[in-house]
Amino acid sequence: QVQLVQSGAEVKKPGASVRVSCKASGYTFTSYYIHWVRQAPGQGLEWVGTINPIISRTDYAQRFRGRVTVTRDTSTSTVYMELTSLKSEDTAVFYCTRGRWELDAFDVWGQGTMVTVSP
Amino acid sequence: QSVLTQPPSVSGAPGQRVAISCSGSSSNIGATYDVHWYQQLPGTAPKLLIYGNTNRPSGVPDRFSGSKSGTSASLVITGLQAEDEADYYCQSYDRSLSGSRVFGGGTKLTVL
């Protein structure tokens, strides 16, 4: 079945970087965009960025630009999100999700990865 | 402050009908970009509920329906059930935010 499986929880100190992975299976990896969505504790959903896995073209939300990098490895059907210069406000669950077209709905979601930023 | 505005909470008794609004502007919903809806049960990942304004993915009960008009969209749930208690989010695209997909702030549905 179609799955997005994310890497495990991370605890980081302020100023550090974190890399979260998202492994896709059950479908043709290059046929869907992969997006990242952040959810701070008790808060709503916030779009972080996306990658076109065919040409590796990325697009990021303005507030994360300069701090986030999304990459992909087609040999393992895995997408990575790296967030640098971590702040306590970055403590959140990060989800990967997919969309068939650039502005399509997000039809399958990963299980989420908790990133905790604490001194 | 979210680009798309939703009521923080709605409630209804079992069997009743509830509606959740999603208000946008001429740079997102009003610019004819599609609206999608997601349901998030406590402690779980969001789930796609409605896509392309009015369409239900396979497996979503027809008690859930979506509509869009002008700069707003709505999610309607009829025959409310206890398991519908969740957070609901609308999502669209905003052309003024340099490639940004945008979410509403979310609405907590309580089944009384």
Side-chain angles (χ1 to χ4, degrees), chain A residues 35 37 39 43-45 47 50 59 65 95 102-107 109-110, chain B residues 33 36 38 40 44-46 48 51 89 91 93 98-101 103 105:
Chain A
H35 301 260
V37 174
Q39 186 170 38
Q43 303 300 308
L45 304 173
W47 182 77
T50 186
D59 194 10
R65 220 161 273 167
Y95 294 101
E102 191 165 1
L103 301 187
D104 203 7
F106 306 145
D107 68 342
W109 293 68
Chain B
Y33 294 112
H36 318 298
Y38 304 88
Q40 187 176 33
T44 69
L48 179 62
Y51 66 95
Y89 295 90
Q91 182 251 316
Y93 177 86
S98 187
S100 198
R101 287 68 169 168
F103 287 95

PDB file of all heavy atoms in Angstrom, chain A residues 35 37 39 43-45 47 50 59 65 95 102-107 109-110, chain B residues 33 36 38 40 44-46 48 51 89 91 93 98-101 103 105:
ATOM      1  N   HIS A  35       5.610  17.311   0.062  1.00  0.00           N
ATOM      2  CA  HIS A  35       5.545  18.549   0.823  1.00  0.00           C
ATOM      3  C   HIS A  35       5.891  18.268   2.275  1.00  0.00           C
ATOM      4  O   HIS A  35       5.734  17.144   2.767  1.00  0.00           O
ATOM      5  CB  HIS A  35       4.132  19.133   0.779  1.00  0.00           C
ATOM      6  CG  HIS A  35       3.628  19.442  -0.589  1.00  0.00           C
ATOM      7  ND1 HIS A  35       3.633  20.721  -1.126  1.00  0.00           N
ATOM      8  CD2 HIS A  35       3.086  18.638  -1.535  1.00  0.00           C
ATOM      9  CE1 HIS A  35       3.121  20.686  -2.331  1.00  0.00           C
ATOM     10  NE2 HIS A  35       2.774  19.440  -2.618  1.00  0.00           N
ATOM     11  N   VAL A  37       4.995  19.814   6.202  1.00  0.00           N
ATOM     12  CA  VAL A  37       4.038  20.622   6.953  1.00  0.00           C
ATOM     13  C   VAL A  37       4.432  20.563   8.421  1.00  0.00           C
ATOM     14  O   VAL A  37       4.737  19.494   8.941  1.00  0.00           O
ATOM     15  CB  VAL A  37       2.597  20.088   6.756  1.00  0.00           C
ATOM     16  CG1 VAL A  37       1.619  20.839   7.656  1.00  0.00           C
ATOM     17  CG2 VAL A  37       2.186  20.191   5.302  1.00  0.00           C
ATOM     18  N   GLN A  39       3.561  21.412  12.533  1.00  0.00           N
ATOM     19  CA  GLN A  39       2.492  21.629  13.504  1.00  0.00           C
ATOM     20  C   GLN A  39       3.108  21.773  14.890  1.00  0.00           C
ATOM     21  O   GLN A  39       3.541  20.786  15.489  1.00  0.00           O
ATOM     22  CB  GLN A  39       1.468  20.499  13.480  1.00  0.00           C
ATOM     23  CG  GLN A  39       0.267  20.765  14.372  1.00  0.00           C
ATOM     24  CD  GLN A  39      -0.861  19.768  14.155  1.00  0.00           C
ATOM     25  OE1 GLN A  39      -0.624  18.582  13.946  1.00  0.00           O
ATOM     26  NE2 GLN A  39      -2.099  20.251  14.205  1.00  0.00           N
ATOM     27  N   GLN A  43      -1.097  23.754  18.077  1.00  0.00           N
ATOM     28  CA  GLN A  43      -1.329  24.752  17.028  1.00  0.00           C
ATOM     29  C   GLN A  43      -1.804  24.105  15.733  1.00  0.00           C
ATOM     30  O   GLN A  43      -1.976  22.889  15.653  1.00  0.00           O
ATOM     31  CB  GLN A  43      -0.048  25.547  16.774  1.00  0.00           C
ATOM     32  CG  GLN A  43       0.506  26.240  18.007  1.00  0.00           C
ATOM     33  CD  GLN A  43      -0.481  27.236  18.590  1.00  0.00           C
ATOM     34  OE1 GLN A  43      -1.000  28.098  17.884  1.00  0.00           O
ATOM     35  NE2 GLN A  43      -0.759  27.122  19.878  1.00  0.00           N
ATOM     36  N   GLY A  44      -1.998  24.941  14.726  1.00  0.00           N
ATOM     37  CA  GLY A  44      -2.494  24.463  13.441  1.00  0.00           C
ATOM     38  C   GLY A  44      -1.384  24.018  12.515  1.00  0.00           C
ATOM     39  O   GLY A  44      -0.216  23.931  12.877  1.00  0.00           O
ATOM     40  N   LEU A  45      -1.795  23.725  11.276  1.00  0.00           N
ATOM     41  CA  LEU A  45      -0.874  23.243  10.255  1.00  0.00           C
ATOM     42  C   LEU A  45      -0.247  24.415   9.514  1.00  0.00           C
ATOM     43  O   LEU A  45      -0.920  25.411   9.228  1.00  0.00           O
ATOM     44  CB  LEU A  45      -1.627  22.345   9.265  1.00  0.00           C
ATOM     45  CG  LEU A  45      -2.372  21.156   9.874  1.00  0.00           C
ATOM     46  CD1 LEU A  45      -3.205  20.456   8.800  1.00  0.00           C
ATOM     47  CD2 LEU A  45      -1.404  20.182  10.528  1.00  0.00           C
ATOM     48  N   TRP A  47       2.432  25.115   6.142  1.00  0.00           N
ATOM     49  CA  TRP A  47       3.197  24.573   5.024  1.00  0.00           C
ATOM     50  C   TRP A  47       4.620  25.087   5.075  1.00  0.00           C
ATOM     51  O   TRP A  47       4.844  26.284   5.267  1.00  0.00           O
ATOM     52  CB  TRP A  47       2.524  24.968   3.711  1.00  0.00           C
ATOM     53  CG  TRP A  47       3.189  24.433   2.490  1.00  0.00           C
ATOM     54  CD1 TRP A  47       3.119  23.159   2.009  1.00  0.00           C
ATOM     55  CD2 TRP A  47       4.017  25.159   1.571  1.00  0.00           C
ATOM     56  NE1 TRP A  47       3.845  23.051   0.844  1.00  0.00           N
ATOM     57  CE2 TRP A  47       4.406  24.262   0.545  1.00  0.00           C
ATOM     58  CE3 TRP A  47       4.463  26.482   1.509  1.00  0.00           C
ATOM     59  CZ2 TRP A  47       5.220  24.636  -0.517  1.00  0.00           C
ATOM     60  CZ3 TRP A  47       5.268  26.859   0.447  1.00  0.00           C
ATOM     61  CH2 TRP A  47       5.641  25.945  -0.553  1.00  0.00           C
ATOM     62  N   THR A  50       8.194  22.295  -0.563  1.00  0.00           N
ATOM     63  CA  THR A  50       7.890  21.162  -1.409  1.00  0.00           C
ATOM     64  C   THR A  50       9.039  20.881  -2.378  1.00  0.00           C
ATOM     65  O   THR A  50       9.902  21.741  -2.608  1.00  0.00           O
ATOM     66  CB  THR A  50       6.603  21.408  -2.212  1.00  0.00           C
ATOM     67  OG1 THR A  50       6.257  20.218  -2.936  1.00  0.00           O
ATOM     68  CG2 THR A  50       6.781  22.541  -3.224  1.00  0.00           C
ATOM     69  N   ASP A  59      10.369  24.651  -3.595  1.00  0.00           N
ATOM     70  CA  ASP A  59       9.641  25.883  -3.320  1.00  0.00           C
ATOM     71  C   ASP A  59       9.416  25.913  -1.818  1.00  0.00           C
ATOM     72  O   ASP A  59       9.018  24.895  -1.239  1.00  0.00           O
ATOM     73  CB  ASP A  59       8.305  25.877  -4.079  1.00  0.00           C
ATOM     74  CG  ASP A  59       7.661  27.244  -4.122  1.00  0.00           C
ATOM     75  OD1 ASP A  59       8.303  28.249  -3.742  1.00  0.00           O
ATOM     76  OD2 ASP A  59       6.481  27.331  -4.543  1.00  0.00           O
ATOM     77  N   ARG A  65      12.378  30.365   4.264  1.00  0.00           N
ATOM     78  CA  ARG A  65      13.389  30.500   3.221  1.00  0.00           C
ATOM     79  C   ARG A  65      14.716  30.915   3.825  1.00  0.00           C
ATOM     80  O   ARG A  65      14.797  31.813   4.659  1.00  0.00           O
ATOM     81  CB  ARG A  65      12.921  31.539   2.206  1.00  0.00           C
ATOM     82  CG  ARG A  65      13.230  31.169   0.778  1.00  0.00           C
ATOM     83  CD  ARG A  65      12.375  31.968  -0.179  1.00  0.00           C
ATOM     84  NE  ARG A  65      11.098  31.315  -0.422  1.00  0.00           N
ATOM     85  CZ  ARG A  65      10.069  31.893  -1.000  1.00  0.00           C
ATOM     86  NH1 ARG A  65      10.157  33.153  -1.381  1.00  0.00           N
ATOM     87  NH2 ARG A  65       8.953  31.239  -1.193  1.00  0.00           N
ATOM     88  N   TYR A  95       5.397  16.851   9.324  1.00  0.00           N
ATOM     89  CA  TYR A  95       4.798  15.804   8.501  1.00  0.00           C
ATOM     90  C   TYR A  95       5.289  15.934   7.067  1.00  0.00           C
ATOM     91  O   TYR A  95       5.396  17.054   6.548  1.00  0.00           O
ATOM     92  CB  TYR A  95       3.275  15.939   8.460  1.00  0.00           C
ATOM     93  CG  TYR A  95       2.559  15.697   9.766  1.00  0.00           C
ATOM     94  CD1 TYR A  95       2.107  16.757  10.548  1.00  0.00           C
ATOM     95  CD2 TYR A  95       2.293  14.399  10.204  1.00  0.00           C
ATOM     96  CE1 TYR A  95       1.420  16.541  11.724  1.00  0.00           C
ATOM     97  CE2 TYR A  95       1.606  14.174  11.390  1.00  0.00           C
ATOM     98  CZ  TYR A  95       1.182  15.248  12.150  1.00  0.00           C
ATOM     99  OH  TYR A  95       0.500  15.022  13.321  1.00  0.00           O
ATOM    100  N   GLU A 102       1.107  20.138  -8.797  1.00  0.00           N
ATOM    101  CA  GLU A 102       1.785  21.154  -7.997  1.00  0.00           C
ATOM    102  C   GLU A 102       0.875  21.766  -6.944  1.00  0.00           C
ATOM    103  O   GLU A 102       1.286  22.023  -5.819  1.00  0.00           O
ATOM    104  CB  GLU A 102       2.340  22.250  -8.898  1.00  0.00           C
ATOM    105  CG  GLU A 102       3.277  23.205  -8.170  1.00  0.00           C
ATOM    106  CD  GLU A 102       4.090  24.052  -9.116  1.00  0.00           C
ATOM    107  OE1 GLU A 102       3.911  23.918 -10.343  1.00  0.00           O
ATOM    108  OE2 GLU A 102       4.903  24.847  -8.631  1.00  0.00           O
ATOM    109  N   LEU A 103      -0.394  21.999  -7.290  1.00  0.00           N
ATOM    110  CA  LEU A 103      -1.324  22.618  -6.347  1.00  0.00           C
ATOM    111  C   LEU A 103      -2.380  21.629  -5.878  1.00  0.00           C
ATOM    112  O   LEU A 103      -3.433  22.013  -5.400  1.00  0.00           O
ATOM    113  CB  LEU A 103      -1.998  23.841  -6.994  1.00  0.00           C
ATOM    114  CG  LEU A 103      -1.051  24.940  -7.465  1.00  0.00           C
ATOM    115  CD1 LEU A 103      -1.852  26.148  -7.926  1.00  0.00           C
ATOM    116  CD2 LEU A 103      -0.070  25.343  -6.373  1.00  0.00           C
ATOM    117  N   ASP A 104      -2.088  20.352  -6.005  1.00  0.00           N
ATOM    118  CA  ASP A 104      -3.056  19.315  -5.664  1.00  0.00           C
ATOM    119  C   ASP A 104      -3.205  19.166  -4.156  1.00  0.00           C
ATOM    120  O   ASP A 104      -2.353  19.623  -3.372  1.00  0.00           O
ATOM    121  CB  ASP A 104      -2.608  17.985  -6.266  1.00  0.00           C
ATOM    122  CG  ASP A 104      -3.757  17.014  -6.443  1.00  0.00           C
ATOM    123  OD1 ASP A 104      -4.918  17.411  -6.230  1.00  0.00           O
ATOM    124  OD2 ASP A 104      -3.491  15.852  -6.790  1.00  0.00           O
ATOM    125  N   ALA A 105      -4.274  18.512  -3.766  1.00  0.00           N
ATOM    126  CA  ALA A 105      -4.481  18.204  -2.347  1.00  0.00           C
ATOM    127  C   ALA A 105      -3.425  17.207  -1.870  1.00  0.00           C
ATOM    128  O   ALA A 105      -2.807  16.491  -2.662  1.00  0.00           O
ATOM    129  CB  ALA A 105      -5.876  17.623  -2.151  1.00  0.00           C
ATOM    130  N   PHE A 106      -3.262  17.149  -0.552  1.00  0.00           N
ATOM    131  CA  PHE A 106      -2.287  16.247   0.051  1.00  0.00           C
ATOM    132  C   PHE A 106      -3.011  14.958   0.452  1.00  0.00           C
ATOM    133  O   PHE A 106      -3.739  14.933   1.450  1.00  0.00           O
ATOM    134  CB  PHE A 106      -1.661  16.907   1.287  1.00  0.00           C
ATOM    135  CG  PHE A 106      -1.067  18.268   1.020  1.00  0.00           C
ATOM    136  CD1 PHE A 106      -1.129  19.270   1.967  1.00  0.00           C
ATOM    137  CD2 PHE A 106      -0.444  18.553  -0.195  1.00  0.00           C
ATOM    138  CE1 PHE A 106      -0.579  20.518   1.733  1.00  0.00           C
ATOM    139  CE2 PHE A 106       0.097  19.805  -0.448  1.00  0.00           C
ATOM    140  CZ  PHE A 106       0.026  20.784   0.522  1.00  0.00           C
ATOM    141  N   ASP A 107      -2.813  13.885  -0.327  1.00  0.00           N
ATOM    142  CA  ASP A 107      -3.680  12.723  -0.152  1.00  0.00           C
ATOM    143  C   ASP A 107      -3.128  11.636   0.753  1.00  0.00           C
ATOM    144  O   ASP A 107      -3.886  10.794   1.231  1.00  0.00           O
ATOM    145  CB  ASP A 107      -4.074  12.130  -1.511  1.00  0.00           C
ATOM    146  CG  ASP A 107      -2.898  11.507  -2.247  1.00  0.00           C
ATOM    147  OD1 ASP A 107      -1.730  11.818  -1.906  1.00  0.00           O
ATOM    148  OD2 ASP A 107      -3.148  10.711  -3.178  1.00  0.00           O
ATOM    149  N   TRP A 109      -0.245  11.019   4.031  1.00  0.00           N
ATOM    150  CA  TRP A 109       0.607  11.697   5.000  1.00  0.00           C
ATOM    151  C   TRP A 109       1.510  10.697   5.716  1.00  0.00           C
ATOM    152  O   TRP A 109       1.122   9.549   5.959  1.00  0.00           O
ATOM    153  CB  TRP A 109      -0.252  12.418   6.044  1.00  0.00           C
ATOM    154  CG  TRP A 109      -1.050  13.563   5.499  1.00  0.00           C
ATOM    155  CD1 TRP A 109      -2.113  13.501   4.624  1.00  0.00           C
ATOM    156  CD2 TRP A 109      -0.869  14.952   5.803  1.00  0.00           C
ATOM    157  NE1 TRP A 109      -2.590  14.762   4.361  1.00  0.00           N
ATOM    158  CE2 TRP A 109      -1.852  15.668   5.073  1.00  0.00           C
ATOM    159  CE3 TRP A 109       0.019  15.669   6.610  1.00  0.00           C
ATOM    160  CZ2 TRP A 109      -1.959  17.077   5.124  1.00  0.00           C
ATOM    161  CZ3 TRP A 109      -0.097  17.053   6.673  1.00  0.00           C
ATOM    162  CH2 TRP A 109      -1.073  17.740   5.939  1.00  0.00           C
ATOM    163  N   GLY A 110       2.704  11.159   6.065  1.00  0.00           N
ATOM    164  CA  GLY A 110       3.559  10.380   6.935  1.00  0.00           C
ATOM    165  C   GLY A 110       3.043  10.425   8.365  1.00  0.00           C
ATOM    166  O   GLY A 110       2.102  11.168   8.666  1.00  0.00           O
TER     167      GLY A 110
ATOM    168  N   TYR B  33      -8.433  29.339  -6.962  1.00  0.00           N
ATOM    169  CA  TYR B  33      -7.652  28.183  -6.532  1.00  0.00           C
ATOM    170  C   TYR B  33      -8.546  27.240  -5.724  1.00  0.00           C
ATOM    171  O   TYR B  33      -9.414  27.670  -4.960  1.00  0.00           O
ATOM    172  CB  TYR B  33      -6.455  28.621  -5.686  1.00  0.00           C
ATOM    173  CG  TYR B  33      -5.438  29.412  -6.477  1.00  0.00           C
ATOM    174  CD1 TYR B  33      -5.215  30.761  -6.235  1.00  0.00           C
ATOM    175  CD2 TYR B  33      -4.705  28.808  -7.500  1.00  0.00           C
ATOM    176  CE1 TYR B  33      -4.302  31.484  -6.967  1.00  0.00           C
ATOM    177  CE2 TYR B  33      -3.786  29.532  -8.246  1.00  0.00           C
ATOM    178  CZ  TYR B  33      -3.589  30.866  -7.981  1.00  0.00           C
ATOM    179  OH  TYR B  33      -2.687  31.586  -8.713  1.00  0.00           O
ATOM    180  N   HIS B  36      -9.166  22.553  -0.285  1.00  0.00           N
ATOM    181  CA  HIS B  36      -9.152  21.163   0.195  1.00  0.00           C
ATOM    182  C   HIS B  36      -9.394  21.170   1.698  1.00  0.00           C
ATOM    183  O   HIS B  36      -9.065  22.146   2.384  1.00  0.00           O
ATOM    184  CB  HIS B  36      -7.812  20.486  -0.105  1.00  0.00           C
ATOM    185  CG  HIS B  36      -7.270  20.786  -1.476  1.00  0.00           C
ATOM    186  ND1 HIS B  36      -7.936  20.426  -2.638  1.00  0.00           N
ATOM    187  CD2 HIS B  36      -6.136  21.430  -1.876  1.00  0.00           C
ATOM    188  CE1 HIS B  36      -7.237  20.825  -3.690  1.00  0.00           C
ATOM    189  NE2 HIS B  36      -6.138  21.451  -3.254  1.00  0.00           N
ATOM    190  N   TYR B  38      -9.135  18.857   5.453  1.00  0.00           N
ATOM    191  CA  TYR B  38      -8.481  17.761   6.150  1.00  0.00           C
ATOM    192  C   TYR B  38      -9.108  17.593   7.527  1.00  0.00           C
ATOM    193  O   TYR B  38      -9.497  18.569   8.175  1.00  0.00           O
ATOM    194  CB  TYR B  38      -6.976  18.024   6.299  1.00  0.00           C
ATOM    195  CG  TYR B  38      -6.295  18.266   4.976  1.00  0.00           C
ATOM    196  CD1 TYR B  38      -6.225  19.539   4.427  1.00  0.00           C
ATOM    197  CD2 TYR B  38      -5.762  17.208   4.234  1.00  0.00           C
ATOM    198  CE1 TYR B  38      -5.643  19.767   3.203  1.00  0.00           C
ATOM    199  CE2 TYR B  38      -5.166  17.429   3.000  1.00  0.00           C
ATOM    200  CZ  TYR B  38      -5.110  18.712   2.493  1.00  0.00           C
ATOM    201  OH  TYR B  38      -4.535  18.927   1.268  1.00  0.00           O
ATOM    202  N   GLN B  40      -8.249  15.985  11.308  1.00  0.00           N
ATOM    203  CA  GLN B  40      -7.168  15.497  12.147  1.00  0.00           C
ATOM    204  C   GLN B  40      -7.733  15.029  13.479  1.00  0.00           C
ATOM    205  O   GLN B  40      -8.176  15.847  14.296  1.00  0.00           O
ATOM    206  CB  GLN B  40      -6.094  16.566  12.372  1.00  0.00           C
ATOM    207  CG  GLN B  40      -4.872  16.035  13.114  1.00  0.00           C
ATOM    208  CD  GLN B  40      -3.764  17.061  13.250  1.00  0.00           C
ATOM    209  OE1 GLN B  40      -4.007  18.257  13.370  1.00  0.00           O
ATOM    210  NE2 GLN B  40      -2.516  16.586  13.226  1.00  0.00           N
ATOM    211  N   THR B  44      -3.091  12.123  15.743  1.00  0.00           N
ATOM    212  CA  THR B  44      -2.829  11.452  14.471  1.00  0.00           C
ATOM    213  C   THR B  44      -2.492  12.461  13.382  1.00  0.00           C
ATOM    214  O   THR B  44      -2.685  13.667  13.554  1.00  0.00           O
ATOM    215  CB  THR B  44      -4.040  10.624  14.005  1.00  0.00           C
ATOM    216  OG1 THR B  44      -5.105  11.520  13.644  1.00  0.00           O
ATOM    217  CG2 THR B  44      -4.516   9.679  15.108  1.00  0.00           C
ATOM    218  N   ALA B  45      -1.995  11.952  12.256  1.00  0.00           N
ATOM    219  CA  ALA B  45      -1.716  12.807  11.110  1.00  0.00           C
ATOM    220  C   ALA B  45      -3.021  13.242  10.458  1.00  0.00           C
ATOM    221  O   ALA B  45      -4.044  12.557  10.559  1.00  0.00           O
ATOM    222  CB  ALA B  45      -0.855  12.054  10.102  1.00  0.00           C
ATOM    223  N   PRO B  46      -3.015  14.389   9.791  1.00  0.00           N
ATOM    224  CA  PRO B  46      -4.219  14.809   9.063  1.00  0.00           C
ATOM    225  C   PRO B  46      -4.593  13.796   7.998  1.00  0.00           C
ATOM    226  O   PRO B  46      -3.754  13.034   7.509  1.00  0.00           O
ATOM    227  CB  PRO B  46      -3.793  16.139   8.433  1.00  0.00           C
ATOM    228  CG  PRO B  46      -2.664  16.625   9.276  1.00  0.00           C
ATOM    229  CD  PRO B  46      -1.942  15.389   9.721  1.00  0.00           C
ATOM    230  N   LEU B  48      -6.984  13.527   4.323  1.00  0.00           N
ATOM    231  CA  LEU B  48      -7.707  14.274   3.295  1.00  0.00           C
ATOM    232  C   LEU B  48      -9.186  13.920   3.343  1.00  0.00           C
ATOM    233  O   LEU B  48      -9.555  12.744   3.254  1.00  0.00           O
ATOM    234  CB  LEU B  48      -7.127  13.967   1.915  1.00  0.00           C
ATOM    235  CG  LEU B  48      -7.795  14.658   0.725  1.00  0.00           C
ATOM    236  CD1 LEU B  48      -7.676  16.172   0.831  1.00  0.00           C
ATOM    237  CD2 LEU B  48      -7.182  14.172  -0.589  1.00  0.00           C
ATOM    238  N   TYR B  51     -11.326  17.195  -1.617  1.00  0.00           N
ATOM    239  CA  TYR B  51     -10.342  17.806  -2.500  1.00  0.00           C
ATOM    240  C   TYR B  51     -11.042  18.495  -3.663  1.00  0.00           C
ATOM    241  O   TYR B  51     -12.165  18.129  -4.025  1.00  0.00           O
ATOM    242  CB  TYR B  51      -9.319  16.778  -3.014  1.00  0.00           C
ATOM    243  CG  TYR B  51      -9.894  15.714  -3.935  1.00  0.00           C
ATOM    244  CD1 TYR B  51      -9.841  15.881  -5.320  1.00  0.00           C
ATOM    245  CD2 TYR B  51     -10.478  14.560  -3.423  1.00  0.00           C
ATOM    246  CE1 TYR B  51     -10.357  14.914  -6.172  1.00  0.00           C
ATOM    247  CE2 TYR B  51     -11.003  13.597  -4.258  1.00  0.00           C
ATOM    248  CZ  TYR B  51     -10.941  13.768  -5.624  1.00  0.00           C
ATOM    249  OH  TYR B  51     -11.453  12.812  -6.472  1.00  0.00           O
ATOM    250  N   TYR B  89      -9.283  21.379   8.933  1.00  0.00           N
ATOM    251  CA  TYR B  89      -8.495  22.448   8.326  1.00  0.00           C
ATOM    252  C   TYR B  89      -8.857  22.596   6.848  1.00  0.00           C
ATOM    253  O   TYR B  89      -8.951  21.596   6.126  1.00  0.00           O
ATOM    254  CB  TYR B  89      -6.996  22.132   8.415  1.00  0.00           C
ATOM    255  CG  TYR B  89      -6.440  22.092   9.817  1.00  0.00           C
ATOM    256  CD1 TYR B  89      -6.429  20.911  10.542  1.00  0.00           C
ATOM    257  CD2 TYR B  89      -5.927  23.240  10.408  1.00  0.00           C
ATOM    258  CE1 TYR B  89      -5.915  20.862  11.831  1.00  0.00           C
ATOM    259  CE2 TYR B  89      -5.402  23.210  11.702  1.00  0.00           C
ATOM    260  CZ  TYR B  89      -5.415  22.024  12.399  1.00  0.00           C
ATOM    261  OH  TYR B  89      -4.903  21.993  13.678  1.00  0.00           O
ATOM    262  N   GLN B  91      -7.500  24.300   3.190  1.00  0.00           N
ATOM    263  CA  GLN B  91      -6.184  24.579   2.584  1.00  0.00           C
ATOM    264  C   GLN B  91      -6.370  25.023   1.145  1.00  0.00           C
ATOM    265  O   GLN B  91      -7.225  24.494   0.429  1.00  0.00           O
ATOM    266  CB  GLN B  91      -5.299  23.332   2.668  1.00  0.00           C
ATOM    267  CG  GLN B  91      -3.896  23.498   2.108  1.00  0.00           C
ATOM    268  CD  GLN B  91      -3.691  22.741   0.816  1.00  0.00           C
ATOM    269  OE1 GLN B  91      -4.100  21.598   0.673  1.00  0.00           O
ATOM    270  NE2 GLN B  91      -3.028  23.368  -0.137  1.00  0.00           N
ATOM    271  N   TYR B  93      -4.179  27.787  -2.057  1.00  0.00           N
ATOM    272  CA  TYR B  93      -2.932  28.364  -2.546  1.00  0.00           C
ATOM    273  C   TYR B  93      -3.111  29.874  -2.579  1.00  0.00           C
ATOM    274  O   TYR B  93      -4.182  30.372  -2.944  1.00  0.00           O
ATOM    275  CB  TYR B  93      -2.630  27.826  -3.937  1.00  0.00           C
ATOM    276  CG  TYR B  93      -1.392  28.413  -4.577  1.00  0.00           C
ATOM    277  CD1 TYR B  93      -0.135  27.868  -4.346  1.00  0.00           C
ATOM    278  CD2 TYR B  93      -1.485  29.509  -5.440  1.00  0.00           C
ATOM    279  CE1 TYR B  93       1.000  28.398  -4.937  1.00  0.00           C
ATOM    280  CE2 TYR B  93      -0.351  30.049  -6.030  1.00  0.00           C
ATOM    281  CZ  TYR B  93       0.889  29.491  -5.774  1.00  0.00           C
ATOM    282  OH  TYR B  93       2.005  30.022  -6.359  1.00  0.00           O
ATOM    283  N   SER B  98       4.270  34.107  -2.808  1.00  0.00           N
ATOM    284  CA  SER B  98       5.416  33.484  -3.459  1.00  0.00           C
ATOM    285  C   SER B  98       5.424  31.964  -3.318  1.00  0.00           C
ATOM    286  O   SER B  98       6.288  31.399  -2.651  1.00  0.00           O
ATOM    287  CB  SER B  98       6.707  34.079  -2.887  1.00  0.00           C
ATOM    288  OG  SER B  98       7.830  33.617  -3.611  1.00  0.00           O
ATOM    289  N   GLY B  99       4.461  31.362  -3.948  1.00  0.00           N
ATOM    290  CA  GLY B  99       4.450  29.900  -3.993  1.00  0.00           C
ATOM    291  C   GLY B  99       3.887  29.213  -2.786  1.00  0.00           C
ATOM    292  O   GLY B  99       4.121  28.020  -2.598  1.00  0.00           O
ATOM    293  N   SER B 100       3.170  29.915  -1.947  1.00  0.00           N
ATOM    294  CA  SER B 100       2.777  29.328  -0.680  1.00  0.00           C
ATOM    295  C   SER B 100       1.426  28.633  -0.706  1.00  0.00           C
ATOM    296  O   SER B 100       0.436  29.187  -1.144  1.00  0.00           O
ATOM    297  CB  SER B 100       2.752  30.400   0.402  1.00  0.00           C
ATOM    298  OG  SER B 100       2.785  29.823   1.677  1.00  0.00           O
ATOM    299  N   ARG B 101       1.447  27.414  -0.229  1.00  0.00           N
ATOM    300  CA  ARG B 101       0.195  26.744   0.099  1.00  0.00           C
ATOM    301  C   ARG B 101      -0.195  27.230   1.491  1.00  0.00           C
ATOM    302  O   ARG B 101       0.674  27.395   2.353  1.00  0.00           O
ATOM    303  CB  ARG B 101       0.382  25.223   0.126  1.00  0.00           C
ATOM    304  CG  ARG B 101       0.544  24.597  -1.265  1.00  0.00           C
ATOM    305  CD  ARG B 101       1.832  24.995  -1.888  1.00  0.00           C
ATOM    306  NE  ARG B 101       2.152  24.230  -3.087  1.00  0.00           N
ATOM    307  CZ  ARG B 101       3.117  24.544  -3.926  1.00  0.00           C
ATOM    308  NH1 ARG B 101       3.847  25.625  -3.720  1.00  0.00           N
ATOM    309  NH2 ARG B 101       3.355  23.788  -4.979  1.00  0.00           N
ATOM    310  N   PHE B 103      -2.966  27.178   4.929  1.00  0.00           N
ATOM    311  CA  PHE B 103      -3.984  26.489   5.704  1.00  0.00           C
ATOM    312  C   PHE B 103      -4.808  27.495   6.495  1.00  0.00           C
ATOM    313  O   PHE B 103      -4.317  28.572   6.855  1.00  0.00           O
ATOM    314  CB  PHE B 103      -3.344  25.533   6.714  1.00  0.00           C
ATOM    315  CG  PHE B 103      -2.747  24.288   6.116  1.00  0.00           C
ATOM    316  CD1 PHE B 103      -1.405  24.231   5.799  1.00  0.00           C
ATOM    317  CD2 PHE B 103      -3.535  23.167   5.896  1.00  0.00           C
ATOM    318  CE1 PHE B 103      -0.848  23.077   5.272  1.00  0.00           C
ATOM    319  CE2 PHE B 103      -2.997  22.003   5.372  1.00  0.00           C
ATOM    320  CZ  PHE B 103      -1.643  21.960   5.057  1.00  0.00           C
ATOM    321  N   GLY B 105      -6.711  28.261  10.135  1.00  0.00           N
ATOM    322  CA  GLY B 105      -6.234  28.066  11.496  1.00  0.00           C
ATOM    323  C   GLY B 105      -6.764  26.817  12.184  1.00  0.00           C
ATOM    324  O   GLY B 105      -6.277  26.429  13.246  1.00  0.00           O
TER     325      GLY B 105
END
